Amino acid sequence: ALYRNYKSLKELEQAEEEVDPLEVEADTLEAEAETLEAAVDPQEAQVHALEAEVVPQEAEVHTLEAEVDPQEAKVELQEAKVELQEAKVDPQEAKVDLQEVEVDTLEAEVDPLEEEVAPLEAKVEPLEVKVEPLESKRNKESVV
């Protein structure tokens, strides 16, 4: 019985010796995971900050586009009216001239709005380009 106990004790000690390197490896992997998580956190914060910048600018672009769209519709309606007037007889040409002036006026209102939209879109595009690699990096690191 003592021999069996001695033999069981030796087997237990051998098993413990095999477990120790595995525990060390597990601790190492856990430390690496914590390091990676610590690196990801500021990048996620940076992504959120960039997204926070993009959202109001996108909203402003949408607002300006919403202002431009009805103006463009008015222009198209006026242009259609002009074409209709041109199809009528010569006495109607005075009315056509008036419609063309209205179209020019509406186009003059639309042009500055479109000029305001272009720089905002130009601001949004680089921010989206910055966000995409950070999100991609975050996704890759979250797999680890």
Side-chain angles (χ1 to χ4, degrees):
L2 281 174
Y3 178 72
R4 276 184 280 160
N5 286 342
Y6 175 77
K7 187 175 177 183
S8 294
L9 182 62
K10 287 297 181 183
E11 288 173 357
L12 183 60
E13 287 175 358
Q14 185 179 358
E16 284 178 357
E17 288 175 10
E18 291 173 7
V19 167
D20 284 345
L22 294 175
E23 287 177 346
V24 169
E25 184 179 353
D27 291 343
T28 302
L29 290 173
E30 189 175 323
E32 289 175 10
E34 289 172 3
T35 301
L36 289 172
E37 286 175 3
V40 167
D41 289 342
Q43 291 174 352
E44 284 180 345
Q46 186 178 6
V47 165
H48 291 306
L50 289 170
E51 287 172 343
E53 289 179 29
V54 168
V55 170
Q57 290 179 357
E58 284 179 339
E60 190 173 346
V61 166
H62 290 307
T63 300
L64 289 171
E65 286 173 343
E67 292 174 12
V68 169
D69 288 344
Q71 295 296 330
E72 287 176 342
K74 286 180 185 178
V75 168
E76 289 172 10
L77 177 61
Q78 294 300 333
E79 288 172 346
K81 287 180 180 179
V82 167
E83 289 174 11
L84 179 61
Q85 292 297 329
E86 288 174 344
K88 292 184 179 181
V89 280
D90 291 345
Q92 298 295 326
E93 285 183 3
K95 290 182 183 179
V96 169
D97 291 342
L98 178 60
Q99 295 293 328
E100 288 176 344
V101 168
E102 289 177 6
V103 167
D104 291 343
T105 302
L106 291 172
E107 287 177 338
E109 292 174 15
V110 168
D111 288 346
L113 292 173
E114 290 177 336
E115 290 175 12
E116 289 178 31
V117 168
L120 291 171
E121 288 175 339
K123 288 180 183 178
V124 168
E125 289 174 11
L127 292 172
E128 288 173 340
V129 169
K130 288 180 183 177
V131 168
E132 289 173 9
L134 291 171
E135 286 179 334
S136 174
K137 188 173 184 181
R138 177 180 65 190
N139 290 340
K140 287 179 185 175
E141 290 177 349
S142 69
V143 170
V144 174

